[in-house]
Amino acid sequence: MSATRVQFLSPRTLRVLSPGRSALFLPGAGGSHRGGGVPGFRSLTSPPLSSSFSSPGRALSSLSTTRRGLPKIKMSDNGTMSRGKVLTIDSMNPTVKKVEYAVRGPIVQRAVELEKELSEGMKKPFAEVIKANIGDAQAMGQQPITFFRQVLALCSYPELLSDSTFPEDAKSRACRILNSCGGNSLGAYSASQGIGSIRQDVARFIERRDGGVPCNPDNIYLTTGASDGIVTMLKLLVCGEGATRTGVMISIPQYPLYSAALAELSAVQINYYLNEEKCWSLDISELQRALDEARLHCQPRALCIINPGNPTGQVQSRECIEEVIRFAAKERLFLMADEVYQDNVYAEGCQFHSFKKVLFEMGPEYSETVELASFHSTSKCYMGECGFRGGYMEIINMDDDVKDQLTKLFSVRLCSPVPGQALMDLVVNPPQPGEPSYDRFIKERTATLSALAEKARLTEQVLNTVEGIRCNPVQGAMYSFPRITLPEKAIQEAKKLGQQPDMFYCMKMLEETGICLVPGSGFGQREGTYHFRMTILPPTDKLKILLNNVKEFHQRFTQQYS
Amino acid sequence: MSVLKEISSNVRNIKQTECLVLFRRTNQIKEELRQGVKKPYREVIDVFWGDPHRAGLKPLSFVRQVLAACLYPQLMDGDKLMVDVKQRAQHLLRTCAGESVGSYSATAGIPQIVQSVSEYIVRRDGGVPCHPENIYISPGSQWALTNIFKVLVNSEASPRTGVLIPVPCHSTTIISLMTLGAVAVPYYLREEQSWALETEELQRALDSAKGVCNPVALYVINPGNPAGYVQSRKCIQEVIRFAAEKKLFLLADEVYQDCVHGKESEFVSYKRALGEIGAPLSDTVELASFHTVSKGLMGECGLRTGYVELVNLDPTVMKHIDNLFSTNSCPILGQFALDVMVNPPQPGAPSYPLYLKETQHIRALLAQNVRRVEEVINSFPGFSCQPLEGGAFAFPRVFLPPKAIERAKEAGLEPDTFYCMRLLEEAGVLFSPGSEYGQKEGTYHIRFCIMTPTDTMEEILKRLSVFHKQFMKEFS
């Protein structure tokens, strides 16, 4: 954890009195944006905002008006009465306004409302809301790995170390983790890069995974989920103005974290399209096209790849990865490899190849020059421990002084959650053959992964029986991303409502069936095509019912608008 | 040449901390001690951070028992845990999707816990209302603060956005501001008056920003960090009026609200003071206040959980804040700890006696440490320590001899970093230098965490005393 010397605005650099500070000030509130209103949003302010807030209990002042004996202090007559807000839709940082996160977008908000209505006894055409919108495995009933939870429980409350019901290997693992924590507690801050011994374990794991390609623990950063690493790397990459503004290449469809982060950083998003007809494969010619067009108006500096793919579920071949690396080398692009689904590979003939491994197998010409950051997390694979916010990032070929800058950026959030770091340690260093917990661990891991493989097949199979739905094989990850054919009338209807057609479709499906999906427009798609993303996570029997409901809904919908 | 040769100037411009030198040397010394190298001490005492567990305090049993039960629910079948621990764990697990700590939570945090937090705030603030929709739980309070900065700071604006920041101020906030391209406008706390915040100084700071940046927000830390002041109700009211008059968004860092030591001191939240002022200010002044599970008696820094309460924000802005928080969800374990923090065991509950004993123990040792630090430090020649009214740190001023300052310059270090380095080297105690936090020119300070076991504090004071005498002699 590093801190930084305080650097203030030095009084010496200040120019004296320049007129018109008020001119810099933000326009008063109550402007045009108010009227549009965000229904049901948080306010403590003036009642006229919206009728739903006119209840007297909501304004902070209402208390002091009702409370007896509290002296009311008069304001000086300086116009504070008519004071507008400092932070308004016009004055706020414009880049934040562009941030959208479809995975938790309006459709999810509606799903939460529906759940509430159901719990209040309101009648619906369905008994429960099924959230197939987010890769949240344990929310869907996936069981955690017993060993992981045992060790974490021991770390949390070390008095349990005397409990004979815990296996010895869980205890020794817990002691090892606690010994590496400040004050032997998960409650102490770690270094902002993460606990040293855990970074070493991660490095050894990567070496094993990549067939001996060396990994330096100094290049490992333990992060708050993978997203913390991704966003921080982007922050480091983005600079320049106008035509030199950093451009970042992302796949379409993409995981909306990338677009949200790029919007916030006001970086230029460069779209390259995956080839749906070829199982969402990545064509180098498409990368080249996207890059050449982007070079006209920005400075492309990074290329993001998600493998196995989210939302599209493809697994890249070794050849494809090699081509991507050559392309990045030729075009001098920083590579960002999002590999959080590395254990989620189901299709026969498919195998996960890490970018790191392929890079080093291509020889020093590449392995000593191409800059790469790869990301992993505890949230996916067979662990599905999203709630711990554990993850790591490995960086390759980054200059030392840039590394210092990276550490500085990470220091702002002090450190990643220590229980998540401990869990990451267990993931990269699971029970070994001969240890008491080994058999159970293997059994649980295999059960989870084979259930996922079965559900991936089932999903593809059932969806492809529906006329108007076409689904690529779910080779990996946790989602299907089928293409849907929507009748022209439905498209018109959606446009009338100002909605994306697939949003209209998903919203209707939610209202009628309780199934919560994310429309393809939240991930990006070729114009005129429509999709949805559905997780394959519900338990098999439930998934069958769900798929059948999707099928029936689609048929109903098609009929209704034909 | 590396693609990353060029990076954002906002990031590049932040100087790397001198403290890295201290950290590196600490690690070396620890390694040397492991290898049996002889030193005047057997171990390094690390009180650099506001990290009670690292400094030697024990976590609260109830918190950890609940977390263990949630992590491994099979524990609830046995008789290892008290019945109220099990009940709390069951209740908390039911608030999670799939009844698992391994699931994601909603954007603003687990709704039931957000509700508990809002009820806690109402109790704390003597009935001033609090709406759960205004609360966002995040991976640490600093994370929430960064999100609010993101909304306030227009990275493309010219002139740049300014935020008024106290001096001294802990450094993460300043790095956070600077990476966003904002200008930190300093206002100085008056050390001689127990680090008082004076409105005239706020005015001076605001004037100093004219023509340089556009100040939109005022950041306050109460109780203080690194300086251990606690603001009075009157002071807070003045700050609120100032913010109202000057159209500043108020940011109140109140993470040490449970650490108040001064007999005359009382923690009053900005929210409460604002509510008590009444209309129109209570309906207009925009306020973000921050709290965390990291500090206070719980001290669970490693769980990374805090929250922000937003007051009087424009609803259309809130929509975007919601989007911003939605891209990252908060660790579940920390949210559970937060639930315990705002809802600790009550009298009559099976876990209450132990909880009471542990919390009383921490309070007692803190009170003792405060007394000892004030007494001992103020007895040293060349040291002056303002009363420690609150927070987790002592931040005494040290008057360094000119020769020492000279030597520091030769070594290329700030004088107080030089002092800390020598202290580390010779006494095996890791403090942080005042230059890390900003200080009036020509003054020097050191900061150290006072949330330690009593004997650790005695050892620190003993080592400091021997070292300081030696140091002053050497450079007199």
Side-chain angles (χ1 to χ4, degrees):
Chain A
M1 207 164 15
S2 83
T4 291
R5 280 271 299 293
V6 176
Q7 273 192 310
F8 286 114
L9 170 66
S10 148
R12 283 184 298 273
T13 65
L14 294 179
R15 273 182 285 139
V16 190
L17 276 179
S18 118
R21 193 177 72 86
S22 58
L24 303 174
F25 246 106
L26 321 164
S32 56
H33 295 269
R34 276 285 185 78
V38 183
F41 245 85
R42 305 142 212 257
S43 167
L44 275 167
T45 53
S46 40
L49 261 180
S50 90
S51 58
S52 64
F53 287 114
S54 56
S55 92
R58 298 199 72 90
L60 187 53
S61 66
S62 65
L63 185 100
S64 35
T65 52
T66 54
R67 213 156 31 154
R68 271 164 273 262
L70 219 159
K72 269 218 190 160
I73 297 118
K74 280 230 175 77
M75 269 309 300
S76 52
D77 297 323
N78 58 2
T80 327
M81 290 286 289
S82 59
R83 166 182 200 272
K85 296 210 180 293
V86 176
L87 188 56
T88 68
I89 196 73
D90 299 315
S91 70
M92 68 178 279
N93 183 0
T95 66
V96 170
K97 285 187 239 176
K98 294 182 234 143
V99 174
E100 274 176 36
Y101 198 52
V103 183
R104 289 175 183 259
I107 200 142
V108 184
Q109 284 157 22
R110 181 62 192 141
V112 171
E113 279 170 26
L114 283 172
E115 270 182 331
K116 195 158 166 257
E117 291 172 12
L118 275 176
S119 72
E120 286 163 357
M122 212 180 273
K123 263 236 167 317
K124 298 280 165 196
F126 47 86
E128 63 167 334
V129 173
I130 302 175
K131 288 185 187 152
N133 59 298
I134 190 163
D136 192 350
Q138 295 194 16
M140 285 292 170
Q142 183 178 309
Q143 289 304 304
I145 297 288
T146 306
F147 178 77
F148 294 174
R149 294 303 195 84
Q150 286 172 332
V151 176
L152 291 172
L154 290 164
C155 289
S156 171
Y157 188 54
E159 277 76 357
L160 292 169
L161 286 165
S162 61
D163 186 330
S164 57
T165 59
F166 283 89
E168 283 308 312
D169 52 347
K171 288 184 188 175
S172 64
R173 211 59 68 86
C175 290
R176 187 165 171 269
I177 290 170
L178 287 175
N179 281 335
S180 61
C181 294
N184 296 324
S185 168
L186 292 184
Y189 291 122
S190 74
S192 61
Q193 192 172 350
I195 293 172
S197 67
I198 297 181
R199 289 190 288 109
Q200 282 171 14
D201 287 349
V202 169
R204 280 196 290 267
F205 158 80
I206 294 174
E207 286 175 352
R208 282 195 307 276
R209 182 196 68 185
D210 292 344
V213 174
C215 175
N216 181 350
D218 288 344
N219 292 338
I220 305 294
Y221 291 77
L222 300 180
T223 53
T224 310
S227 52
D228 175 34
I230 293 168
V231 170
T232 307
M233 264 319 301
L234 288 173
K235 224 179 262 177
L236 196 62
L237 276 159
V238 173
C239 62
E241 296 301 329
T244 66
R245 190 71 182 164
T246 296
V248 176
M249 304 184 72
I250 62 173
S251 63
I252 297 294
Q254 55 105 23
Y255 182 57
L257 171 73
Y258 290 89
S259 51
L262 293 176
E264 193 188 307
L265 293 165
S266 51
V268 180
Q269 176 180 325
I270 307 170
N271 298 335
Y272 64 90
Y273 289 84
L274 300 175
N275 189 343
E276 181 165 16
E277 280 65 46
K278 287 197 194 155
C279 201
W280 297 111
S281 64
L282 193 168
D283 298 335
I284 299 300
S285 57
E286 169 60 12
L287 285 180
Q288 193 70 58
R289 176 207 63 79
L291 186 76
D292 292 345
E293 283 175 22
R295 283 244 154 91
L296 302 175
H297 61 270
C298 71
Q299 192 177 339
R301 306 181 76 203
L303 167 57
C304 302
I305 307 274
I306 311 175
N307 177 48
N310 175 7
T312 38
Q314 82 285 13
V315 177
Q316 284 184 327
S317 68
R318 202 186 172 288
E319 297 70 46
C320 173
I321 293 172
E322 243 183 70
E323 284 176 38
V324 171
I325 291 173
R326 272 199 207 96
F327 177 81
K330 176 174 76 105
E331 303 292 348
R332 298 200 54 251
L333 296 170
F334 188 99
L335 265 175
M336 291 179 57
D338 180 339
E339 302 179 322
V340 299
Y341 297 99
Q342 53 188 268
D343 293 334
N344 299 110
V345 176
Y346 318 117
E348 239 166 81
C350 285
Q351 199 193 333
F352 169 74
H353 301 277
S354 76
F355 267 77
K356 164 93 180 287
K357 181 177 189 213
V358 176
L359 177 66
F360 277 73
E361 287 170 357
M362 288 166 71
E365 183 193 344
Y366 294 98
S367 66
E368 286 172 10
T369 56
V370 174
E371 291 152 86
L372 168 70
S374 69
F375 307 92
H376 194 16
S377 107
T378 59
S379 305
K380 312 298 172 187
C381 299
Y382 64 92
M383 302 80 80
E385 298 278 18
C386 313
F388 288 83
R389 315 306 303 124
Y392 75 74
M393 165 170 95
E394 183 189 11
I395 48 166
I396 315 274
N397 290 325
M398 188 184 279
D399 286 356
D400 279 346
D401 62 330
V402 179
K403 254 196 235 175
D404 285 347
Q405 309 288 339
L406 184 62
T407 307
K408 205 161 66 181
L409 277 178
F410 275 124
S411 73
V412 172
R413 53 105 170 101
L414 296 159
C415 65
S416 66
V418 176
Q421 296 188 32
L423 179 59
M424 194 78 243
D425 190 52
L426 298 169
V427 170
V428 297
N429 191 13
Q432 298 304 307
E435 288 180 342
S437 301
Y438 180 72
D439 291 344
R440 185 174 191 179
F441 166 71
I442 294 295
K443 207 173 130 211
E444 290 175 347
R445 187 180 68 177
T446 311
T448 299
L449 287 176
S450 52
L452 284 171
E454 190 201 334
K455 291 187 277 191
R457 273 192 299 275
L458 182 71
T459 305
E460 178 202 342
Q461 199 182 46
V462 176
L463 288 178
N464 277 329
T465 64
V466 188
E467 206 186 317
I469 297 186
R470 210 189 123 263
C471 182
N472 269 320
V474 182
Q475 296 174 332
M478 294 178 168
Y479 317 95
S480 65
F481 194 68
R483 180 162 172 186
I484 46 176
T485 310
L486 299 180
E488 193 50 38
K489 263 196 202 165
I491 296 172
Q492 292 312 323
E493 185 76 22
K495 280 188 182 148
K496 255 187 258 164
L497 293 168
Q499 272 181 351
Q500 292 291 337
D502 46 15
M503 171 64 93
F504 175 73
Y505 174 91
C506 289
M507 211 47 131
K508 264 194 101 72
M509 184 174 339
L510 174 64
E511 296 288 348
E512 289 180 23
T513 66
I515 300 169
C516 179
L517 306 175
V518 189
S521 45
F523 304 90
Q525 53 200 353
R526 278 207 188 270
E527 216 177 307
T529 70
Y530 305 107
H531 301 78
F532 61 74
R533 185 184 85 162
M534 187 185 112
T535 70
I536 57 166
L537 295 172
T540 310
D541 46 341
K542 220 171 172 176
L543 182 65
K544 282 183 185 159
I545 300 170
L546 184 142
L547 287 166
N548 198 51
N549 289 346
V550 170
K551 180 177 182 170
E552 285 175 11
F553 168 80
H554 187 83
Q555 288 163 346
R556 241 187 353 261
F557 183 89
T558 311
Q559 212 163 35
Q560 188 185 346
Y561 290 98
S562 64
Chain B
M1 197 183 87
S2 158
V3 177
L4 267 174
K5 266 287 177 264
E6 192 191 344
I7 66 171
S8 162
S9 55
N10 290 338
V11 179
R12 178 81 76 186
N13 284 345
I14 304 164
K15 260 203 219 156
Q16 198 56 259
T17 173
E18 269 189 14
C19 291
L20 279 184
V21 192
L22 288 169
F23 301 149
R24 285 188 189 130
R25 188 60 197 133
T26 305
N27 288 337
Q28 283 166 1
I29 290 176
K30 280 183 183 167
E31 188 51 40
E32 287 166 17
L33 286 170
R34 250 194 302 276
Q35 289 167 2
V37 176
K38 262 206 133 34
K39 306 253 176 206
Y41 43 86
R42 266 190 294 190
E43 56 170 4
V44 176
I45 303 177
D46 177 355
V47 277
F48 188 101
W49 305 102
D51 185 341
H53 295 183
R54 179 177 293 267
L57 293 193
K58 292 267 165 291
L60 299 178
S61 297
F62 184 75
V63 177
R64 294 309 192 86
Q65 288 166 344
V66 169
L67 295 187
C70 291
L71 281 161
Y72 189 53
Q74 285 86 331
L75 281 171
M76 285 187 264
D77 301 336
D79 52 5
K80 287 267 179 245
L81 301 172
M82 297 277 199
V83 60
D84 56 341
V85 170
K86 294 181 190 176
Q87 280 165 352
R88 180 67 69 97
Q90 265 153 3
H91 161 74
L92 288 171
L93 283 177
R94 276 192 214 112
T95 66
C96 295
E99 302 199 359
S100 169
V101 295
S103 56
Y104 287 120
S105 67
T107 290
I110 297 170
Q112 290 89 335
I113 296 179
V114 171
Q115 178 69 35
S116 300
V117 170
S118 80
E119 287 162 11
Y120 156 82
I121 293 174
V122 174
R123 285 197 302 275
R124 181 197 69 186
D125 290 345
V128 176
C130 169
H131 307 303
E133 316 87 74
N134 290 337
I135 294 170
Y136 284 88
I137 302 178
S138 66
S141 63
Q142 208 64 35
W143 193 297
L145 177 63
T146 302
N147 272 352
I148 304 305
F149 279 153
K150 278 182 193 167
V151 184
L152 281 165
V153 175
N154 184 340
S155 47
E156 286 148 24
S158 174
R160 292 197 289 165
T161 306
V163 176
L164 271 70
I165 297 284
V167 177
C169 172
H170 61 91
S171 49
T172 39
T173 296
I174 296 163
I175 308 175
S176 174
L177 259 184
M178 295 193 64
T179 53
L180 293 167
V183 180
V185 182
Y187 62 90
Y188 289 82
L189 303 177
R190 189 194 280 269
E191 178 167 10
E192 306 75 51
Q193 303 286 325
S194 294
W195 299 104
L197 195 173
E198 292 162 339
T199 321
E200 306 79 64
E201 171 60 14
L202 288 178
Q203 184 61 55
R204 185 208 58 78
L206 201 57
D207 291 341
S208 77
K210 278 182 186 160
V212 177
C213 65
N214 172 27
V216 300
L218 167 57
Y219 175 74
V220 291
I221 312 172
N222 180 49
N225 173 8
Y229 56 86
V230 176
Q231 293 175 346
S232 68
R233 183 181 249 105
K234 183 166 159 286
C235 164
I236 293 169
Q237 287 171 347
E238 281 171 14
V239 172
I240 292 173
R241 287 208 191 83
F242 181 83
E245 198 186 312
K246 306 297 176 187
K247 288 189 161 190
L248 296 169
F249 188 108
L250 260 176
L251 299 151
D253 186 336
E254 302 180 320
V255 298
Y256 290 102
Q257 57 187 268
D258 295 328
C259 299
V260 175
H261 327 302
K263 286 205 175 62
E264 312 289 305
S265 306
E266 180 200 1
F267 171 74
V268 178
S269 74
Y270 270 77
K271 165 80 182 300
R272 177 178 195 160
L274 180 60
E276 289 171 353
I277 286 177
L281 264 62
S282 60
D283 289 344
T284 50
V285 173
E286 294 147 273
L287 167 70
S289 70
F290 303 87
H291 195 19
T292 177
V293 301
S294 300
K295 312 298 174 185
L297 303 176
M298 197 176 261
E300 296 282 5
C301 312
L303 300 186
R304 309 307 309 124
T305 295
Y307 70 82
V308 59
E309 183 193 7
L310 297 162
V311 180
N312 288 329
L313 264 74
D314 187 318
T316 53
V317 174
M318 284 298 277
K319 191 190 79 163
H320 295 293
I321 290 179
D322 200 76
N323 279 345
L324 209 49
F325 276 92
S326 75
T327 56
N328 225 245
S329 68
C330 176
I332 303 290
L333 287 183
Q335 298 192 52
F336 286 180
L338 179 59
D339 186 80
V340 175
M341 184 177 91
V342 298
N343 251 329
Q346 295 303 309
S351 296
Y352 183 72
L354 180 61
Y355 174 80
L356 186 69
K357 192 178 145 209
E358 291 175 344
T359 48
Q360 276 179 342
H361 171 71
I362 297 174
R363 283 184 208 284
L365 68 83
L366 248 178
Q368 160 96 347
N369 286 352
V370 164
R371 215 183 57 236
R372 288 290 292 152
V373 168
E374 286 177 349
E375 190 178 282
V376 175
I377 298 259
N378 279 324
S379 75
F380 295 164
F383 256 116
S384 112
C385 184
Q386 294 297 315
L388 300 177
E389 298 166 344
F393 302 102
F395 192 63
R397 179 166 174 189
V398 51
F399 297 83
L400 296 175
K403 271 192 195 161
I405 296 170
E406 201 60 37
R407 182 69 63 82
K409 279 186 187 146
E410 284 164 27
L413 291 173
E414 291 290 333
D416 42 19
T417 310
F418 175 72
Y419 183 88
C420 288
M421 186 57 121
R422 291 289 295 263
L423 176 68
L424 171 66
E425 201 67 58
E426 286 160 38
V429 180
L430 179 61
F431 285 4
S432 59
S435 47
E436 192 69 13
Y437 310 99
Q439 52 198 352
K440 269 217 167 92
E441 216 175 305
T443 71
Y444 306 106
H445 299 79
I446 50 172
R447 185 189 87 163
F448 59 97
C449 179
I450 54 171
M451 295 186 82
T452 70
T454 321
D455 48 352
T456 309
M457 186 49 69
E458 287 305 324
E459 178 68 18
I460 291 169
L461 293 173
K462 201 173 86 195
R463 292 192 198 182
L464 179 64
S465 154
V466 174
F467 163 79
H468 186 67
K469 258 185 223 136
Q470 197 75 37
F471 184 89
M472 295 305 265
K473 209 168 113 190
E474 184 182 341
F475 292 103
S476 66

